[in-house]
Amino acid sequence: MIAWFIDGPFWYFSFTVFLVASVWKLVAIIARGRPRNLAKPRKTPGGGALATIFRRFVPYPEFRKASRVQFRAGYLFHLGLLALLFFAAPHVEFISRRITGFSWPAMPHWAFIFTGELALGGLLFLIVYRLMNPVTRYLSSWGDHFSSWLVFLVMLTGCLALLRSHESLRLVHLFLAELLLLWFPFGSLVHAITFPLSRGFTGAVYHRKGVNL
Amino acid sequence: MAVNMEVFHQFLGQIAQLGARAKPARLSDQERVQQAKSVLREGLRAEQAGDLESCMHCGLCAEACHFRVGTDNPRYTPAAKFQLARRVYRREVGPFRWLYRLATREITVQDLLDAQELVFDSCTTCGRCTLICPMGINIAGLVTLTRHALASAGLIPDDLAAVEQEQGENGTVFGAGPEHLEQALEQLRSQGIEAPLDKPQAEVMVLTSVVDLLLFNDQLASTVRLLNKLGLDWTFRSNAFEGANFGYLAGCGEVQKKATLRVIEEAVSIGAKAVIVPECGHAYPALRWEGANVYGKPLPFDVYAISEFIGLMLREGRLQLPGALEGEVVTYHDPCKVGRHSGVFQEPREVLQALGAELHEMPSHALTNWCCGGGAGLFVINSTAPLRRAAFEIKKREVEQTGAAKVVMACGSCRLNFIKGQEDTGMAGEIVSLVALVGEHLETPDPDRGIPEKTTE
């Protein structure tokens, strides 16, 4: 019964909420519009928007020392998570069966393990950093901690479910992933889809003034 | 030219008494909250919404903020400065506001009071935090919006409010009216320097500032001499000479508009093709980037910061500067509002190169320069003195690392803060205005023609 619920209705519900709410959020942000800017521009805003979206993946040289720990751990986690999500064999099978209808090559098992460990290591570091660093401790809300720990639990149960020896481990992993999908549009995890907007708008504003961000 | 330190301290004395002059806003707590929320609701557009949704409290912005780094106090982390805006966005504006109202508490007047120190006292809206933010959040923009919200709630810090109110009511700043401009120009005329005032038509209208009239006379004199040397058809106008815009600084849209329109309408009335803004950080973006939006249509004239203009004249070959500095080691402090916020980086450096200076850049310069801590009106907010001093230690280290004999800048606000900072911290080096430096070396020394080594008193 529980397995049927997690594999069936709860999956459809959580994925639908994830999709609808995420799209709703993006549309709602864009629909707020921007006031007309009548000042004579130095450069076209559009070019700046695009450039900043990509340039901001690498920190400025002056900030590399101050940001290296978070950037390194952050990239380990994010890139590892992306690789796991879309190229781990169980995920490829799940996504192709439930969503896309088509499949693609998965990464070899050893790469799956290696990537998982790196991603989990990066995330653990960031969780500890958020708890220990005075600035992030001051800034963080309950929502930030909930997001971090939920992602961690999803990844941990995913590692445990790798063994595939117990169906219940797979179900716990799937259930937590479905909770994550439900939570995604409403917490700070939504930065994963809104970052092109924040980078792009700021890049456009500054580029208009002749500043390449 | 040395600054008259007696006058400087008199100016500080005037600032110390500002708070008593402010007229408090007569609003109930509920009205303050409603006003602030109303301004935020209206101002939270797509750009701000995208920013507020993207912040994941990574704390990296803390590493770029001179106030946070200078004090090591997490309270001054830039991301903390827009939390009021974020709460209003989530509760009142965002797509799931009906849900967030269940999980976030209503805004209270205490929230506004808590935000006051964050967005006024401990933020110069320098924008350096935006450079390090992985999400590219325009934090300075959110802080500026919050300033507007607090201003509408009658919560501008008293000392800043006093100056803003004076400019709104009388059109003057620190009591500097047309008679002070006339007096300053008469002094130049007594030295044989032509200083046009109130020409009915002119191609170039020039602004100055109360600080130049009362304290930084070298900046005013050099500007006048430079424009005369260029042979431009230019004038000051006694009805609109003040470049500073305390409505812009305080977040008071009404006074900002009044001060800006005064300049624009005057420039239009004399048929000006260009308006030159003095060495005053915020004056440039207030007119260059906000002027047209206040006017309601594109400006019919170009706007230049004086540092930008000198560089332009050099590029066009209309100005030659003797390499009089002969390899003297200088460094250049980029004013945030003219540099990072407006793209004027190369022109001042070309001016220094033309003057023959050997430019040693600070470790963080141009786009990534550290703010001196005195901008956005902070120099007139008395309670900010300890924060400014803490922040200035960073600038002092950067300047001293260059080994420069002179630190050159093109902003009167920065110059005020540097002078105070040097007094407080013992920073080495001479603090120099870019336009004053140009004015001192406009002519190649030629004793046979009676041109001494320095061409200003």
Side-chain angles (χ1 to χ4, degrees), chain A residues 44-168:
Chain A
T44 57
L50 211 55
T52 303
I53 289 171
F54 292 102
R55 251 205 301 263
R56 198 45 66 95
F57 281 115
V58 179
Y60 285 95
E62 284 88 340
F63 300 130
R64 276 178 200 163
K65 191 175 172 193
S67 61
R68 67 173 169 231
V69 159
Q70 276 167 292
F71 260 89
R72 286 175 190 175
Y75 269 118
L76 266 181
F77 161 64
H78 282 91
L79 293 176
L81 181 64
L82 270 174
L84 285 171
L85 200 52
F86 294 111
F87 294 100
H91 293 157
V92 173
E93 189 269 335
F94 183 91
I95 294 171
S96 62
R97 184 164 45 86
R98 301 271 194 140
I99 302 173
T100 59
F102 60 83
S103 185
W104 56 90
M107 61 177 141
H109 191 71
W110 65 264
F112 182 10
I113 304 294
F114 183 65
T115 308
E117 284 174 9
L118 286 181
L120 207 52
L123 177 60
L124 265 173
F125 179 89
L126 290 172
I127 287 176
V128 171
Y129 187 91
R130 189 179 282 284
L131 289 169
M132 304 286 289
N133 179 276
V135 169
T136 46
R137 214 171 44 233
Y138 180 80
L139 288 177
S140 297
S141 63
W142 69 266
D144 298 317
H145 294 298
F146 181 73
S147 296
S148 309
W149 285 103
L150 185 54
V151 173
F152 173 73
L153 286 173
V154 169
M155 292 181 74
L156 181 68
T157 51
C159 287
L160 295 174
L162 263 181
L163 300 168
R164 306 197 204 203
S165 55
H166 290 283
E167 170 69 356
S168 54

Side-chain angles (χ1 to χ4, degrees), chain B residues 324-386:
Chain B
L325 292 181
E326 294 174 338
E328 185 175 0
V329 176
V330 308
T331 191
Y332 182 69
H333 161 73
D334 292 273
C336 305
K337 303 296 159 54
V338 182
R340 188 162 37 243
H341 282 275
S342 299
V344 178
F345 297 120
Q346 289 313 309
E347 293 88 335
R349 286 167 168 82
E350 288 165 16
V351 172
L352 290 172
Q353 189 179 26
L355 283 169
E358 184 179 315
L359 178 62
H360 285 199
E361 298 277 16
M362 295 185 230
S364 288
H365 60 276
L367 181 64
T368 60
N369 80 303
W370 282 101
C371 177
C372 69
L378 264 67
F379 198 78
V380 305
I381 303 176
N382 289 284
S383 55
T384 66

Side-chain angles (χ1 to χ4, degrees), chain B residues 328-331 358 360 399 402-408 422 427-432:
Chain B
E328 185 175 0
V329 176
V330 308
T331 191
E358 184 179 315
H360 285 199
V399 167
T402 67
K406 285 182 164 69
V407 53
V408 185
Q422 186 171 58
M427 182 191 80
E430 187 187 348
I431 298 161
V432 175

Side-chain angles (χ1 to χ4, degrees), chain B residues 257-279:
Chain B
K257 185 173 180 175
K258 212 168 166 178
T260 300
L261 282 180
R262 192 172 181 151
V263 169
I264 293 172
E265 285 163 1
E266 195 73 10
V268 167
S269 75
I270 67 169
K273 301 282 184 292
V275 173
I276 296 178
V277 174
E279 284 185 344

Side-chain angles (χ1 to χ4, degrees), chain B residues 226-238:
Chain B
L226 171 70
L227 296 175
N228 289 341
K229 179 155 176 75
L230 287 167
L232 297 176
D233 171 25
W234 71 276
T235 188
F236 285 112
R237 294 285 295 183
S238 53

Side-chain angles (χ1 to χ4, degrees), chain B residues 21-60:
Chain B
R21 286 171 30 194
K23 293 171 202 164
R26 297 184 203 290
L27 294 168
S28 66
D29 287 354
Q30 196 183 8
E31 284 167 334
R32 291 183 197 272
V33 170
Q34 290 313 316
Q35 286 285 99
K37 279 166 54 173
S38 171
V39 169
L40 283 169
R41 274 196 299 266
E42 200 181 310
L44 290 170
R45 307 294 294 273
E47 181 192 329
Q48 291 77 21
D51 284 344
L52 294 171
E53 293 282 7
S54 298
C55 179
M56 22 110 193
H57 294 145
C58 70
L60 274 174

